[in-house]
Structures are given as C-alpha cells and as structure tokens.
Amino acid sequence: MRRLDKILLWNLMAAVIILGQARPNTKLHLQSSSGLKSDCAGNLMRLLLDKALAVGNQLEVDAINGTQHAVLTPSLAAQCGYSMESDPWGNTRIYTSLLGCYVDNKEDTTFNTGLRLRMYSQSPSEVVSHDVTQTCSYSRWASREILCDRNYMEVSNHMATPDAQAEAKGQAPDVKDDSKMNAIPGATDKAHGIWKMTFHTPEPVAMVLREAEQAGYGAMTTSKRLVMRSPYNTAETYSEDVAGVPMEVFKVSVYCKAPHGLTVLNLAAACPKGGVLFTDDVISWHVPRRVTPLIDGSFKVLEMHMGIDGQRLDKSQMAARGYTLSATDFHIVIELPVGSPDGYYKSHAPDYQYHITYTVEPMLEVLWRSDKSQDDTRYKILFPITTPLMPRPPQVSDLTSTEDRLFSVHLGTFLHDVELRNITFSTGVLTIEECNAKGFTVEEHSSPNGTKSYTLQVSFDADVVLTHNPEPLVTVYFLPLVFGFIILPEETPFAHPVELQASLQDVVLPTVTGTCDQSKFYISVKYGSQGSNFQTMVGPQQLTPELAEVYNFQENSTQFSLQVPYTAKDTAFELITSDSVRARLDLLLWEPNNNWVLGDLYLSCNFPLTTIECYPNGTMTALAVKVESVPNLIPSWLTLKDKSCKPVFSDDRFARFTFSVDSCGTTRTFFDHYMLYENEIGLYNNNNKGAATYTSSIDPDYRQTVSCYYVVNETQTVTFGYKPRSRDPAAEIGSGQLMVQMRLAQDSSYELFYQAEDYPVVKYLRQPLYFEVELMQSTDPRSELILENCWATLNEDRTSLPSWDIIVDNCENRDDSYMTMFHPVMADTRVTIPSHIKRFSIKMFTFTKDEEVLKDEIYVHCDAVICDTNSQADGACSGQCVHPTTLSNSRFQGVKGVKREQRSTDLTHQKISSGPILLLNTQSSL
C-alpha cells in the first residue's frame, strides 16, 4: 500500500491533467499568485501546487539551500526527507522534513527550506521556474521524534553528552571496554560526527557512514540531535505484526565521534503498513497503542491528535467533518466518513465495469512518556488511504413517451472524471457530436454534489430503431444502445448497455384493389405503415423480380401495380362458354415470418374467347380449356368421340382440335333450313390407362360439346388467333478497372487530408488516426466497398513481421483494448455515394519487444473488396461489421506475426497502404 513506485510521483506527467475538482484545503499562506501555497505543519514544511499551474506541463523539483542545488529523484527524496503526493488531476502536495538534507537549520529552532519547481511544456526549451522558500519555527522537540511519511521512515534523538548518555543507558563500561574495537583511525578531539552504524535486521549488519549513504540511508547530526532516515523495504528493514497491524521496522545503533570519545545511540522507527477496515460508509484506521518495537516498559500517553494532509485538526473541525479519534486497550482508532470533503473520489473501470474509490490522507500524532526513563517520544504518521473498488453500476431510467413517439433514457450517476464519448446504435457507432447532428438529443446534467448524468432522446422513426410486430396491428419499437465512456485523465474506457422498448397499436395494413378490361387484370396495392415489408403471392406462386417484369410491375414509395393477362398461368378459369371464359386472379399479401395474411383479393371477370370455328369447307376448330373444377386435367389427354382424334396443339391449359365434319365421330342432324354437326371433347378414363394417373374417382368427368350450324346457302365462321409473347433481351456482363485509395484525415470531420509531402505524419501515443478508404471513378450505386482486413507493420512491405491486426474479417480486432472505431459516412457535397467510402479510426501505438520500442514508425495496409449490394453473397460481402464486441483487458504491444490465408478470386480485391506514421515519444527521464 505504501510502495515508493506507487506513491512518489516526482516526474509528474501533467500533460494528461484535464478538468477536475480540487479538494478543499486548510487556509494556507499564499506563496505567490501563481498557484503555489506553502505553510509549516509541525516538523514538516508543506507546499501545495494547484492543478491550474501544472496543466500541460511536466514537473521537476529541486532542493536548494544557498549554493546547494539537487534534483530530487525518488531515491534522493526518500534519503533526504522529501515526499510528494498528487491526485489524478494534478493537485500536488510536497512535504519537507525540517531535518532534511538541504534545510538550513538554525540551532534546531529555525528552519529555512527552499524548493525550485520547473514546469516543462511540450518543448524542453520552454520552461517556467518557481522558487519557493519558507521559514518554519519548531522548538517543541521531544527526546525522540519518529516520522512515518509516504516514502521514508525518520527518527531523531536528542544527543546528550557522552557521560550523561552513558549514565542514562548504563553503557559506559561497555564503551570503555570496547574502546579498542570501536577506535576511530585518525580521530582527534576536533574530528567528531557519525562514524559507523549497526543495523539490526534483527541480525546485526555493520556499515560505515559512506556505505550507509550509498545504500540509500540518510544520517546526519544537528546542533543537538542525531537523525536517521530509511526508505521503505530496504534490506535492513523488516516486518513485524503489532496488535494485528503489520509494521515495517527500522533499528540501528549509531556510533558518533565526540570530543570526549565515542557515543553510541540506539535509534528505532516503526511505521504501519495496514490496519485499515472499510464499510460502505466509514473508514476505520487502527494504529497499535503500544508500538512494541519502540516502547520498553510502561508508558503514558500525553497527547493524541489527528489531522488531514499533514495539518492538525481541532475538536470543532473534527466534529464538523464527522471524524473521531479514540483509543482502546490495544489500538488508537481514527474513523473517517467515506466522502468527507478532505478526500476525493476517483472513477475506475476494472473489466470495463464502472467502480469508484475514495482517497483521503489522515495524520496521527501521539506523544508518550516512558515511565522508566522519563523520555518523551513524538510519533507522527502520514497515511494515505484508498478504499477498495466500490461498484457503481449506472442507474437507467426509462422516460420513453409513446404519445410523443420518443425514446428517452436517463443514465447516471457518474463522477466528474467520466466523459461520454460515443453511443453504439444498431447501425454503428456515433460520437456525441454526430448524435446531435442526426437529431438525437444528448445532454449532460451536473448535480450540486459534483456528480453528473446523461440523457438521450431518439424518435421512434429514426433509422437506428428496430421494429418487430408480435401481432398484425401492433409494432414493438426496440432501441439497443451501448454508451461508451472514458475516465479522465487516464482515458480508461468502459461501456454500459441499455435496451429500450415500447409497443404501439399503430400498424396500417396494405390495401388491394383491382379491375379488368377485355384482356387483363389490373391490380393496385397501396402500402400501409410497414411499407413494402411483405411478400406477394400471385395465384399459386410468389411475385419474383422475373415475374414482376412479365406482369409490368410498377412501383413508387406508396404503392405498386400489376397488369396480369387473363391467360397467364397464375390465373384460374372458373367457367367456359362458346364465346367467353370467366377467369379469376387470386392475390395474397403475406408476412412470412409470422404467417400473417395482411391483405387479399379474389377478382373474377368474364373475358371474350371464341372456342369454336366453323369453316365453309366443312372443317371445324374447337378449343378446350382446363377449368378449376377439374384440377387434375391434362389437356393433352383429351380426345373427340373417336379417341384416335387427339389435339393438334396442347399445353397445360389449352387443347386445340381441328377436324372435318365427316370424321372423328362427328354426328349430323338436319333441320328445316340448316344442318347441325356435333362432337364432344372428353376424357375417357375406362379406355385410357394413362388418364387414371391424373384423375380420381372424386374428379368430375370433362365433357365439352362442340357444334357447327350450316344454313343451306350460308356458313357462319368465327376466327381465333394466338401469338405468344417473346421475352425481352438481357444484357451481357462486361468488365473494367476499379481503383481504391486510402487517405489519412487530419481530424474526425474528414474534411482535410494529409498530402504526400506531409508524410511521415507525426503523432503521439494514443492520439487518434482517422483513415478514409474510397472507391474511385465509379458511379454505380449498387457497388459497395468493404474493408476485409487492415493491419499495421513496421515497414512498407505489407507482408513484413511483426504486424498488428486492426480490422479482421470485416470487423474490428477483438484482441485490441483500444478498439478500432468505424465512422458512418453521410452523403454531402463531396460524398455522392456513401457506400463507396469506409471510415475508421485507431489510436496511435508502437511495436515493443521486452518493453523496448522496436521502431518509431508504422505503416497501415488494407485489403478491400468491391461487392454488389443486390447480391446475397456470404463471406466478405455480407457487410461491414458495425456491432461492438467485448473488449479485452489490455492492449498487447508485443511482436505478433500474422499468417494470412490466400483469398478467393471470385470477388474484386484491392490492396492499399498508408504511412509511414511517426510516433513522437513523450517519455521523460526525470
């Protein structure tokens, strides 16, 4: 919890700091109008750096004391008594021990501290420096003072005279007896100070001062005190459990030269590494009341104080904030409400789920007195606490209004460091700007407590809304959403899905009307509210594009019409007479998914038709027609009374007979002034074995009587003619060349693009790259460009390794946490056919191996496929992937080789590349 690399942030990358809310602090002295404030907090000097000063900069801190000047690296800071704490938005606190290395110490009562802050912007040459000085007075030194800061432990002891110290500790005989062993080579009365030390781990480890300093320890003497300082987790510290609380312990015996001989001081420090309990509402911090590594025998607690951010609080301040400080037999307990104004909340997204933490930095200061030695010990701990991750799934309020036909959803609440970046609809991903441009109202709402929420409104009639009809007259409107958020300043992504649904009885069914003339049925179908979302059955078969062409299909946005000849195979003949036929056309509007009949029409009309012709030469022509009442009739099996007289022509609906009046069993009857010739067309089951196959006992027999009347001196004739309709010719398939280009846009508007002279284009890590791929010199709206695969390489060679997949099989790379984003293309003055253009964006990255950048350039390559939008093809032409998939937990930046299989050659493929794109490294060695 208190690790150096997690706490000390000397190289603060303030370039990622964005708008946040600073924590309230106690009243401080204003160092300058530049956002720097400093004050004294007991044995510490505290400097506060406001986020407004750090935005866009890198921070480097130097310690200064007169002519002394040192860059405070993490190791030097822990060795010399400096620490720094920064929240995610750049609000920074720097603490300096008054016994630090570069502090001007005046007789252990007056301390002058100096710091130089250097702010680096984008260019290293642009630097702003701020010198901060603060004078602190501190004279209430206890015999022993122990300080537990974030990155080091410090202990200082009052240095008594050698005789007094020996008498107090009863060590004079040992020192005198061991004087030869502890003799200091070349020591004189004038040479005094720290000579060597023995660390107790608990096994003794001896070092001279130079070795201890090289190991990272700090050791010094002032006019009256001996100071030792140790970073956490060194080889000479150890862990010990005290009253159930893990402590890190540092013990050392220091040998000091003095004018009167050698003095040995035993120093110890112990700092807690845990002891925190959490509930949903309260943080309880437990510190051992008796810190056994520091206390030998009985003791008495003289003072006990708590504070925040290194500053003491009085009882009224504690009560106002709800803080409590108490003691039990074994612990000193500080309780702080979760959400108190002295801490801050932070958003997180583990596994892309929304969580929050609360961070606060309490301080405990205890003064106790040993009953045995009557020496006082002041024990001061600065202890940052962060709660465990607390899940905060966003609450969804469905405010949809069916009366207004408007989806409305409220989503919240979020902390101020959350930003809504995009929303995924059924048609693709849209940024918030694109949502508002399409008429989808997206609004952010801020609350007085610093939280925020979002609302979205979408009309039922928007193209992103899906519909379903559970009943013929009922429409269910369905709006699937995925809200895409990022957490600032880290830009950590997470998402929250929302599904909205509403039902309305608002379906208007289509209507069918029809008329007839002498030869055709005329059908008109007016669309309902569902448009042409149905199938049409003409007679027994579905209306296909081929059949629609035969029936002169005409359509507009509200209706379609058909012209069906009564002789078409999809009509039914109900009744035949000598001069007409009654035909019927059945039209059915069909919803196939639910087997619903949306509309129907059964239209019967009489059409003129001559079935018998009598010629003067004694020849008769008769036309037999298959009627609906004999469904299994096959006209070719019909005969005249003489069964050897078969049709001269037949198809599946007609049979034509031509015969002379003195043949085929034709009878003749005389009347007063005319003659009647008569025959019969029929199907004779008993004598025709094949006929039994097509008829049954329940089918009626087919009988059609044909006759001609001849007046003695005149003959009446009727003619019949038939001309089959020929099909329209079809065009042959041609061939040509297609060209595809890929360009890199300067921003998400895709209005300005980098030219050839701009490459290589320089980008920062995770800065968006906006690509556009376009099918050139084509005006065919039925063509669509599909991005099949896109990948990045280090070299211009598209087959080189390593490579990283950006688009795989028409979709974004599912192994990439910074997922590729597709951007919709709308028609405008430049884009006439949106299906000819695809747009996507990625975040700038680099290839690494063993945590080292292989090269600072990348090239992007794509394989594109040109498809026919009317085709029902699978595979690459099934469409560009627009639905997001589950994101992986981290972005892989290792070396990856990809084997790409040879693609099919029955599609039109194009290969395109872009680059190089140059990565500008923003890392600092400070």
Side-chain angles (χ1 to χ4, degrees):
M1 185 173 182
R2 299 171 59 88
R3 296 295 182 264
L4 180 63
D5 57 345
K6 294 184 179 179
I7 298 174
L8 196 60
L9 306 174
W10 293 103
N11 291 317
L12 175 66
M13 292 299 296
V16 299
I17 296 175
I18 64 171
L19 184 60
Q21 293 185 359
R23 291 189 280 170
N25 295 289
T26 56
K27 292 184 178 180
L28 305 175
H29 299 294
L30 189 64
Q31 178 71 21
S32 70
S33 60
S34 60
L36 295 172
K37 300 176 184 179
S38 63
D39 69 342
C40 303
N43 57 359
L44 292 169
M45 188 278 285
R46 184 175 64 167
L47 172 65
L48 278 77
L49 172 65
D50 189 82
K51 65 177 181 183
L53 185 64
V55 169
N57 298 311
Q58 294 185 111
L59 174 63
E60 184 179 270
V61 183
D62 294 355
I64 53 177
N65 182 2
T67 59
Q68 288 184 297
H69 181 280
V71 178
L72 288 176
T73 63
S75 59
L76 183 60
Q79 186 177 27
C80 284
Y82 296 83
S83 69
M84 184 167 74
E85 179 78 3
S86 177
D87 68 21
W89 304 281
N91 299 296
T92 304
R93 296 184 306 279
I94 301 175
Y95 294 88
T96 302
S97 170
L98 297 186
L99 298 177
C101 299
Y102 299 96
V103 176
D104 181 18
N105 186 338
K106 305 294 186 182
E107 298 298 325
D108 288 340
T109 58
T110 303
F111 305 87
N112 297 311
T113 60
L115 295 174
R116 174 168 295 169
L117 309 180
R118 290 198 295 270
M119 311 292 180
Y120 291 95
S121 59
Q122 299 289 346
S123 172
S125 62
E126 299 177 7
V127 58
V128 178
S129 296
H130 297 273
D131 286 354
V132 180
T133 60
Q134 179 72 44
T135 299
C136 294
S137 297
Y138 186 70
S139 57
R140 299 179 56 195
W141 292 101
S143 298
R144 177 174 61 172
E145 298 233 353
I146 299 170
L147 174 63
C148 298
D149 208 337
R150 298 158 194 77
N151 54 329
Y152 65 88
M153 300 180 287
E154 179 183 279
V155 55
S156 68
N157 258 50
H158 178 73
M159 294 181 64
T161 62
D163 294 339
Q165 183 185 31
E167 181 180 353
K169 295 185 177 295
Q171 293 177 339
D174 294 338
V175 174
K176 292 178 181 178
D177 292 344
D178 295 341
S179 59
K180 293 182 179 180
M181 178 186 68
N182 294 326
I184 305 171
T188 66
D189 289 346
K190 295 182 180 180
H192 61 277
I194 299 173
W195 169 41
K196 71 172 186 178
M197 56 199 71
T198 300
F199 296 90
H200 304 283
T201 63
E203 297 298 325
V205 177
M207 296 183 188
V208 298
L209 178 60
R210 178 176 53 82
E211 293 173 330
E213 290 176 341
Q214 289 176 347
Y217 299 99
M220 61 180 290
T221 59
T222 67
S223 61
K224 299 178 183 179
R225 305 187 71 82
L226 171 65
V227 184
M228 280 295 302
R229 197 174 295 110
S230 171
Y232 290 102
N233 302 314
T234 63
E236 285 71 43
T237 63
Y238 63 93
S239 297
E240 181 176 335
D241 189 281
V242 180
V245 178
M247 309 282 287
E248 187 160 353
V249 182
F250 167 61
K251 288 185 176 182
V252 61
S253 297
V254 181
Y255 296 81
C256 296
K257 297 179 293 181
H260 303 288
L262 188 65
T263 299
V264 180
L265 288 179
N266 295 318
L267 304 179
C271 295
K273 298 169 62 178
V276 182
L277 299 177
F278 302 96
T279 67
D280 291 341
D281 303 315
V282 178
I283 299 171
S284 300
W285 177 30
H286 295 71
V287 178
R289 183 172 183 176
R290 180 186 182 92
V291 185
T292 52
L294 307 179
I295 298 175
D296 183 14
S298 59
F299 70 102
K300 181 180 180 181
V301 175
L302 303 179
E303 296 179 13
M304 191 164 59
H305 307 277
M306 77 154 290
I308 293 292
D309 298 336
Q311 189 73 34
R312 282 187 188 181
L313 299 178
D314 58 31
K315 291 183 179 180
S316 62
Q317 292 172 320
M318 292 171 56
R321 292 166 168 81
Y323 301 152
T324 62
L325 173 64
S326 61
T328 67
D329 292 341
F330 300 99
H331 298 97
I332 299 171
V333 181
I334 292 178
E335 291 188 339
L336 308 98
V338 174
S340 68
D342 294 314
Y344 65 89
Y345 282 103
K346 183 73 184 76
S347 299
H348 306 271
D351 298 325
Y352 298 95
Q353 303 298 313
Y354 186 56
H355 293 68
I356 64 172
T357 58
Y358 174 75
T359 299
V360 67
E361 185 183 298
M363 179 194 75
L364 175 64
E365 186 175 339
V366 182
L367 180 67
W368 70 74
R369 177 173 295 167
S370 171
D371 292 342
K372 179 179 179 181
S373 64
Q374 293 299 303
D375 288 336
D376 293 344
T377 298
R378 190 181 309 278
Y379 187 43
K380 187 173 183 177
I381 310 169
L382 304 179
F383 197 78
I385 297 174
T386 298
T387 65
L389 289 169
M390 297 178 285
R392 289 294 186 272
Q395 299 300 310
V396 178
S397 298
D398 189 347
L399 308 176
T400 297
S401 172
T402 55
E403 294 80 5
D404 299 327
R405 297 179 60 84
L406 186 69
F407 281 115
S408 180
V409 61
H410 180 271
L411 186 64
T413 58
F414 304 96
L415 297 181
H416 63 86
D417 57 353
V418 171
E419 182 177 299
L420 178 62
R421 279 293 175 89
N422 56 57
I423 303 176
T424 301
F425 298 90
S426 60
T427 57
V429 181
L430 298 179
T431 64
I432 304 308
E433 294 77 11
E434 292 169 336
C435 289
N436 288 310
K438 284 179 65 67
F440 308 155
T441 304
V442 183
E443 294 182 341
E444 178 183 307
H445 307 275
S446 298
S447 301
N449 62 0
T451 61
K452 64 171 65 173
S453 59
Y454 294 91
T455 57
L456 168 68
Q457 292 183 336
V458 178
S459 170
F460 284 6
D461 302 317
D463 59 353
V464 298
V465 177
L466 305 177
T467 59
H468 169 63
N469 299 102
E471 302 175 21
L473 297 178
V474 175
T475 303
V476 174
Y477 296 89
F478 182 60
L479 180 61
L481 304 166
V482 179
F483 289 85
F485 300 91
I486 64 166
I487 297 173
L488 301 173
E490 304 89 345
E491 295 195 358
T492 304
F494 71 96
H496 188 76
V498 175
E499 294 183 354
L500 302 178
Q501 183 174 305
S503 297
L504 281 177
Q505 188 169 335
D506 60 351
V507 177
V508 177
L509 297 179
T511 55
V512 189
T513 57
T515 60
C516 304
D517 64 6
Q518 296 295 303
S519 61
K520 294 179 181 179
F521 295 97
Y522 295 89
I523 305 299
S524 177
V525 177
K526 184 178 180 180
Y527 298 147
S529 59
Q530 304 295 312
S532 58
N533 189 26
F534 55 81
Q535 293 182 3
T536 303
M537 302 293 293
V538 181
Q541 65 176 334
Q542 182 178 336
L543 182 64
T544 63
E546 294 78 14
L547 191 62
E549 184 178 356
V550 173
Y551 292 157
N552 195 24
F553 178 86
Q554 301 292 328
E555 182 183 28
N556 59 31
S557 60
T558 61
Q559 62 184 5
F560 75 82
S561 62
L562 297 173
Q563 297 180 18
V564 182
Y566 81 91
T567 56
K569 63 179 180 179
D570 296 318
T571 62
F573 294 146
E574 296 180 330
L575 179 66
I576 186 171
T577 65
S578 61
D579 60 355
S580 68
V581 62
R582 188 168 71 203
R584 188 184 76 249
L585 179 65
D586 301 338
L587 197 80
L588 191 68
L589 307 183
W590 183 259
E591 202 285 310
N593 295 327
N594 299 289
N595 293 329
W596 292 334
V597 176
L598 304 182
D600 56 23
L601 176 69
Y602 303 93
L603 180 60
S604 295
C605 295
N606 290 318
F607 297 93
L609 176 64
T610 301
T611 58
I612 301 173
E613 291 181 297
C614 304
Y615 296 99
N617 62 356
T619 301
M620 295 178 60
T621 299
L623 182 67
V625 179
K626 178 182 179 179
V627 292
E628 187 180 33
S629 60
V630 189
N632 293 325
L633 174 65
I634 297 178
S636 63
W637 289 83
L638 294 172
T639 66
L640 296 173
K641 286 183 178 180
D642 184 347
K643 298 176 182 57
S644 63
C645 293
K646 298 180 179 180
V648 295
F649 164 81
S650 66
D651 58 18
D652 57 350
R653 307 196 71 188
F654 297 96
R656 180 181 292 113
F657 295 85
T658 299
F659 58 95
S660 63
V661 296
D662 59 353
S663 65
C664 297
T666 304
T667 61
R668 183 177 62 179
T669 305
F670 290 93
F671 294 91
D672 293 339
H673 58 281
Y674 58 85
M675 292 182 297
L676 173 64
Y677 290 93
E678 197 172 55
N679 207 323
E680 186 179 71
I681 303 173
L683 181 66
Y684 302 96
N685 297 338
N686 295 333
N687 298 327
N688 196 324
K689 296 181 180 179
T693 305
Y694 299 96
T695 62
S696 65
S697 59
I698 63 174
D699 289 326
D701 289 337
Y702 183 88
R703 295 289 186 269
Q704 179 180 345
T705 300
V706 296
S707 59
C708 280
Y709 295 86
Y710 288 94
V711 179
V712 172
N713 61 356
E714 185 179 7
T715 301
Q716 298 287 344
T717 62
V718 179
T719 62
F720 170 81
Y722 172 76
K723 181 178 180 181
R725 179 178 177 179
S726 62
R727 296 179 62 87
D728 295 332
E732 294 184 355
I733 298 175
S735 62
Q737 295 293 325
L738 295 174
M739 184 173 69
V740 176
Q741 74 168 1
M742 178 165 64
R743 296 189 293 176
L744 180 62
Q746 295 185 14
D747 54 40
S748 60
S749 67
Y750 289 91
E751 294 179 356
L752 299 176
F753 295 84
Y754 292 103
Q755 305 302 316
E757 59 269 21
D758 298 329
Y759 286 87
V761 176
V762 177
K763 295 288 182 179
Y764 290 95
L765 277 176
R766 288 189 273 179
Q767 187 173 358
L769 302 175
Y770 300 96
F771 291 91
E772 179 183 274
V773 183
E774 180 179 8
L775 173 62
M776 307 295 291
Q777 301 175 355
S778 174
T779 59
D780 184 3
R782 296 173 300 176
S783 298
E784 183 176 9
L785 181 139
I786 301 293
L787 296 179
E788 187 179 17
N789 292 290
C790 294
W791 65 98
T793 63
L794 287 174
N795 302 309
E796 191 172 2
D797 182 5
R798 58 194 286 117
T799 63
S800 63
L801 295 176
S803 67
W804 178 256
D805 285 337
I806 297 171
I807 296 174
V808 180
D809 296 334
N810 305 12
C811 296
E812 56 270 9
N813 181 8
R814 299 182 180 181
D815 293 331
D816 194 344
S817 62
Y818 301 104
M819 184 171 292
T820 303
M821 294 178 58
F822 289 101
H823 298 273
V825 182
M826 304 297 178
D828 54 27
T829 56
R830 184 175 70 87
V831 179
T832 57
I833 306 177
S835 63
H836 288 186
I837 295 178
K838 287 294 182 291
R839 292 170 177 167
F840 67 95
S841 65
I842 63 174
K843 291 187 177 179
M844 183 64 189
F845 66 97
T846 184
F847 289 83
T848 63
K849 181 176 183 181
D850 298 331
E851 299 184 354
E852 292 187 4
V853 176
L854 296 178
K855 192 176 180 182
D856 57 0
E857 290 182 352
I858 65 170
Y859 291 78
V860 177
H861 316 273
C862 285
D863 285 346
V865 180
I866 312 303
C867 299
D868 183 357
T869 57
N870 293 330
S871 173
Q872 302 297 321
D874 296 326
C877 284
S878 61
Q880 197 74 60
C881 183
V882 296
H883 298 286
T885 55
T886 304
L887 302 179
S888 59
N889 291 334
S890 62
R891 181 178 179 89
F892 174 71
Q893 285 191 325
V895 177
K896 179 178 180 183
V898 178
K899 178 181 179 182
R900 293 182 170 80
E901 300 294 335
Q902 183 176 1
R903 297 174 177 84
S904 171
T905 59
D906 57 0
L907 300 174
T908 303
H909 283 82
Q910 299 290 331
K911 303 179 183 295
I912 44 180
S913 299
S914 178
I917 301 167
L918 180 63
L919 166 69
L920 180 58
N921 193 344
T922 61
Q923 299 297 321
S924 173
S925 61
L926 299 179

